[in-house]
């Protein structure tokens, strides 16, 4: 049962009966700590902040901004339960959260210090300064009487005393404000109020005008005054070894999560007193607010407390005079040794940093205002971790200098788990002595991190590059100099590159091949550490998902692949490449007979289609390959699950199996490879007739009892053209309708035009067509369309194939819950296949671009490679594709037009197949091959085909482009005779000669 407390309108003065709500500084659900300002109210005297002295969460209903609320009536509520954003309508809340009013923008409060363990309140005896007076660090501003004695109240911040100040004789609870310090004399509260003993405004007065000769005060790095709260009943921390600390300092240290071991003591004989502890956690709000600000148009929303904390710390970091030093370190040996020793690379790097630091202890020191150095021996390193909500959390791995690696690994595993859900205790994130930030996982080639007050150095680790992994230290020049850091990095390099002495030997550095990717030495895997069910889950078991899962499994990563089909292979195996090419193979055998007679073979010109056998053969290929794939996947220890995967959050996937209950698995990283189904545009009758089978797509064409006698195809892309020719060879009459002026828009111009000319001899192609309606029943369909001129016709056919493209459908993946952004229908990724969520990758058809099986598979390997920590990229300019038409069209790399669009001065040479000896022999003389080269470098950047056997010839082109071969290399290569491959050598020599001749002119 949740406990609720009412936040009531406080009575600021005896005359105050009501107040108006001006702002809410927190929203329902926000965490509230004791002393937080939750709202601002206007009273008859001034605008005041409402400070709440009850920790919990703000809950509604909140009084509306602008509402007038009577003194004592509820403004809102505090609940002790997170997520409890509103109390029930009928609930009567008896308990009240203690509130206090402080003037709006009052400055830094001077709170009643707890000067002894038993002290709960103090009586103001004197004010040693008056509102408006300048205050220096260390000044005594007041004296208070405690249960023990009269003691001085010392502050540790420069500025000016500002009202309201607690009345002399008033009793102020420990932790409550007695007065305020502002950074500028002009901000001192000159309409100050004096608070009476019962916390009410006693009178309003003008503060003393400050002397004109007082120097302008520009506040510099400050620490807060002794702001000590009595919040919580946390037991005091242990006495630090060999050091003295006052009981109160230990208690405050426990509350604030301060590690006493690293603190310098300012008490007698170096005893650590509460003030030292408070100084260790400087409040930076004041620093941030006193810096020059630029007003931007618009209504700013209030920052969350986390955002505020980061903002203040970052602003405070501006006070650090920093410099950067970078060294490239080969972390291959460390990576394998860490793996062999079952410790994470993060822990191994932290230990290496600590070992090197033993020789350069200054790296672990800190500057302390004013003019002090805290010489720390405890290696408590903050290590940045991505939380589940996408933010950064920096948990601290404590005692690295003394703990063995295995113990550190245990600490780290538990710490990371809590860090991801932001459930860290203050001692687990406060007061690091050094910080490590690894953004290598995000692929950055170099970056610097920002140290905040309290540390002298922060280490930024970027992605692995050709020269190794850049380690950049940003150091505080008050503590370190360039040589210190350079020598430290040199030692760190030696420690990391030769881990045998401290970490034990590991295996040889792993090497990864990822399609067009380039890889270097073994790097740090960006798979977030944690106690996941699976370090990586792959959603989708097509070519993209399967290749990714296999590469990861091959490298020892435990991976689960969920696929909503019984066997892997995806569209390619079950509805795409494989079945269509099985049909094409039968169709080829029919078509090839046309050449038999001219070569002297008679009697083969009346081949007969045995549809039942065609289908049997096709299904045999598919099921055999499906079974082979599943067996191989399982053999590689991929955990293959059948079911539909959808995201619950950035580390949880829900799987709905075909049978049984849905369940969830947690994961470190995920790869989305869910493909793209056929897209049917809203043409009247198109979607409506899918169910009957009168209209089919590439997903549903695989159940034909017989080939249609007449086939209407809507769409003249690659799939439409392949299907048109297959069915033509099976004896079907085909009509192809295309909305655009040209079919095969995605194919290189000249190749496409030549292919279209061949095609139009076999089938009817209508371009610029408007499809008005599709109607009928399977076997008796009507395709009503108008041509370019607007003349309407009706084509009677058995079925209509909608070959109108493919479009990713991510609507059921819950991508919004994990921060994965879309680009149109496709998932947005960078060249590493990383989505906008750092731990989620996407590959294949679902990311758009070339929707081809080998593209998906390459991207799958690129994602795997990046997840293994190698810097891999998919390079579309080296990709390729074959259209299984007759003759076959094919491309590798860029066309001249594409190259020119990229600013490359490209040239091409082409040769017709008709001059090739082998082509003449086999009667396959239709088409051409083109070679595209970069004029400046002579590199071959594209090869284009229209030729029979392109599916085999293209491999040579792929090697030329992928291997960045030059025309000279190809010209010199020896190709066997008589084969069509001779054309490559011919083309290279021809182009070289041309370039030579034109260069001479
Ligand atoms: C008729 C036709 C012919 C083709 N011919 C060729 C060709 O000759 N050469 C070529 O390179 N390409 C060809 N393609 C394209 C090729 O099929 C695709 O590019 C390739 O299959 C894409 O692979 P993928 O891994 O991205 O997705 P897919 O192969 O579509 O695999 C995705 C898998 O994920 C599953 N899935 C989807 N959502 C979920 C979920 N939420 N949870 C679990 N599982 C899910 C799907 O069921 C599917 O099994 C052809 C396509 C068609 C339609």
């Amino acid at each position: 049962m949740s406990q609720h407390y009412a936040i009531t309108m406080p009575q600021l003065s005896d005359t105050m009966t009501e107040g108006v709500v001006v702002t809410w500084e927190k929203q329902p659900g926000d965490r509230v700590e004791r002393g937080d300002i939750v709202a601002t109210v206007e009273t008859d005297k001034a605008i005041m902040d409402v400070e709440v002295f009850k920790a919990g969460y703000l809950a509604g209903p909140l009084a509306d901004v602008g509402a007038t609320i009577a003194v004592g009536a509820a403004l809102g509520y505090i609940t002790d339960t997170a997520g409890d954003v509103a109390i029930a309508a009928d609930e009567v809340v008896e308990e009240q959260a203690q509130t206090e009013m402080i003037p709006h923008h009052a400055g830094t409060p001077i709170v009643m210090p707890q000067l002894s363990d038993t002290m709960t309140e103090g009586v103001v005896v004197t004010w040693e300064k008056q509102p408006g007076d300048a205050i220096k660090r260390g000044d005594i501003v007041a004296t208070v009487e405690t249960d023990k004695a009269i003691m001085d109240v010392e502050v540790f911040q420069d500025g000016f005393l500002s009202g309201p100040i607690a009345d002399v004789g008033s009793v102020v609870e420990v932790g409550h404000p007695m007065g305020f310090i502002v950074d500028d004399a002009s901000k001192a509260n000159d309409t100050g109020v004096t608070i009476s003993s019962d916390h009410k405004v006693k009178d309003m007065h003008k503060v003393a005008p400050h002397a004109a000769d007082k120097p302008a005060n520009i506040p510099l790095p400050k620490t807060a005054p002794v702001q000590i709260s009595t919040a919580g009943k946390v037991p005091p921390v242990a006495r630090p070894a060999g050091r003295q600390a006052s009981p109160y300092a230990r208690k405050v240290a426990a509350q604030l999560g301060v590690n006493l071991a690293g603190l310098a003591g300012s008490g007698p004989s170096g005893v650590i007193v509460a003030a030292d502890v408070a100084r260790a956690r400087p409040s930076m709000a004041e620093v941030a607010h006193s810096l020059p600000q630029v007003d931007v148009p618009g209504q700013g929303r209030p920052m969350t407390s986390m955002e505020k904390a980061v903002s203040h710390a970052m602003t405070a970091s501006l006070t650090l005079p920093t410099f950067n030093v970078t060294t490239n370190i080969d972390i291959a040996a460390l990576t394998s040794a860490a793996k062999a020793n079952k410790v994470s690379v993060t822990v191994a790097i932290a230990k290496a940093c600590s070992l090197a630091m033993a020789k350069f202890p200054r790296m672990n020191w800190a500057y302390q205002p004013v003019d002090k150095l805290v010489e720390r021996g405890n290696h408590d390193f903050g290590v940045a971790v991505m939380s589940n909500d996408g933010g950064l959390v920096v948990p601290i791995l404590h005692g690295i200098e003394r703990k063995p690696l295995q113990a550190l690994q245990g600490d780290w595993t538990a710490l990371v788990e809590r860090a991801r859900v932001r459930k860290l205790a203050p001692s687990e994130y406060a007061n690091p002595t050094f910080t490590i930030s690894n953004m290598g996982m995000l692929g950055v080639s170099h970056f610097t991190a920002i140290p905040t007050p309290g540390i002298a150095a922060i280490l930024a680790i970027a992605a692995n590059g050709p020269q190794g992994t850049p380690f950049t230290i940003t150091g505080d020049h008050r503590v370190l100099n360039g040589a210190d850091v350079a020598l430290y990095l040199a030692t760190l390099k030696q420690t990391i590159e030769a881990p045998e002495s401290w970490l034990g030997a590991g295996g040889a550095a792993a090497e990864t091949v990822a399609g067009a990717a380039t890889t270097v030495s073994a790097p740090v895997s960006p798979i977030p550490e944690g106690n996941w069910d699976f370090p990586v889950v792959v959603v989708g078991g097509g070519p993209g998902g399967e290749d990714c899962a296999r590469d990861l499994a091959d490298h020892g990563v435990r991976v689960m692949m969920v696929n909503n089909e019984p066997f892997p292979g995806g569209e390619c195996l079950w509805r795409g490449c494989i079945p269509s090419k099985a049909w094409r193979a039968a169709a080829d055998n029919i078509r090839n007979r046309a050449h038999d007679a001219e070569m002297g073979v008679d009697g083969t010109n009346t081949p007969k289609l045995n549809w039942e056998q065609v289908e049997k053969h096709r299904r045999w290929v598919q099921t055999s390959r499906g079974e082979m794939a599943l067996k191989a996947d399982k053999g590689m220890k991929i955990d293959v699950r059948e079911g539909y995967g959808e995201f619950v959050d950035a580390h949880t996937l829900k799987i709905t199996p075909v049978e049984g209950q849905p369940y969830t698995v947690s994961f470190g990283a995920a790869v989305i490879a869910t493909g793209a189904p056929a897209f049917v545009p809203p043409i009247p009758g198109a979607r409506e007739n899918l169910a009957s089978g009168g209209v089919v797509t590439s997903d549903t064409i695989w159940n034909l009892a017989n080939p249609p006698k007449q086939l209407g195809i809507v769409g003249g892309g690659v799939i439409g053209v392949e299907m048109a020719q297959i069915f033509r060879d099976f004896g079907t009459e085909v009509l192809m309708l295309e909305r655009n002026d040209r079919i095969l828009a995605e194919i290189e111009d000249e190749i496409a035009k030549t292919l279209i000319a061949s095609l139009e001899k076999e089938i009817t192609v209508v371009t610029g067509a408007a499809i008005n309606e599709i109607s009928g029943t399977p076997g008796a369909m009507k395709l009503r369309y108008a041509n370019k001129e607007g003349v309407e016709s009706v084509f009677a056919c058995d079925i209509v194939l909608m070959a109108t493209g493919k479009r990713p459908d991510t609507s059921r993946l819950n991508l919004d819950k994990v921060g994965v952004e879309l680009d149109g229908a496709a998932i947005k990724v960078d060249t590493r296949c990383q989505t906008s969520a750092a731990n989620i990758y996407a590959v294949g058809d679902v990311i758009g671009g070339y929707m081809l099986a080998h593209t998906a598979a390459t991207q799958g390997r690129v994602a795997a490679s990046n997840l293994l920590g190698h810097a891999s990229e998919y390079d579309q300019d080296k990709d390729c594709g074959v259209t299984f038409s007759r003759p076959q069209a094919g491309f590798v790399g860029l066309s001249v037009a594409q190259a020119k669009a990229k600013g490359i001065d490209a040239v091409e040479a082409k040769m017709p197949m008709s001059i090739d000896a082998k082509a003449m022999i086999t009667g396959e003389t239709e088409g051409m091959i083109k070679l595209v080269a970069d004029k400046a470098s002579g590199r071959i950047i594209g090869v284009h085909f229209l030729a029979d056997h392109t599916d085999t010839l293209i491999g040579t082109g792929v090697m030329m482009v992928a291997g960045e071969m030059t025309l000279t290399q190809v010209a010199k290569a020896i190709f066997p005779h008589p084969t069509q491959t001779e054309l490559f050598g011919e083309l290279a020599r021809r182009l070289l000669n041309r370039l030579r001749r034109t260069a001479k002119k």
Side-chain angles (χ1 to χ4, degrees), residues 11 18 20 104 142 198 215 313 544 549 603 606 622 683 722 783 844 856 869-870 883 891 907-908 947 953 962:
Q11 191 181 31
E18 57 189 20
V20 177
H104 191 47
D198 57 0
T606 50
Q622 288 178 282
I683 292 170
E722 284 190 14
L783 187 49
H870 300 264
T883 302
F891 75 93
V907 281
E908 71 173 17
L953 289 171

Side-chain angles (χ1 to χ4, degrees), residues 112-189:
M112 175 64 75
Q114 192 182 34
L115 299 163
S116 74
D117 265 347
T118 50
M119 173 180 170
T120 55
E121 57 189 22
V123 181
V124 181
V125 178
T126 59
W127 277 102
E128 301 299 315
K129 302 272 180 188
Q130 292 307 310
D133 281 357
I135 295 175
K136 292 263 160 285
R137 271 178 62 81
D139 277 357
I140 310 292
V141 292
T143 57
V144 293
E145 189 175 1
T146 73
D147 52 351
K148 300 238 167 27
I150 292 180
M151 297 175 118
D152 292 337
V153 177
E154 193 182 350
V155 292
F156 293 91
Q157 179 173 314
D158 291 351
F160 297 86
L161 186 65
S162 177
I165 56 170
D167 217 0
V168 168
S170 61
V171 180
V172 180
E173 272 181 61
V174 165
H176 287 239
M178 308 167 51
F180 299 85
I181 298 180
V182 291
D183 57 4
D184 191 317
S186 65
K187 289 189 200 158
N189 197 337

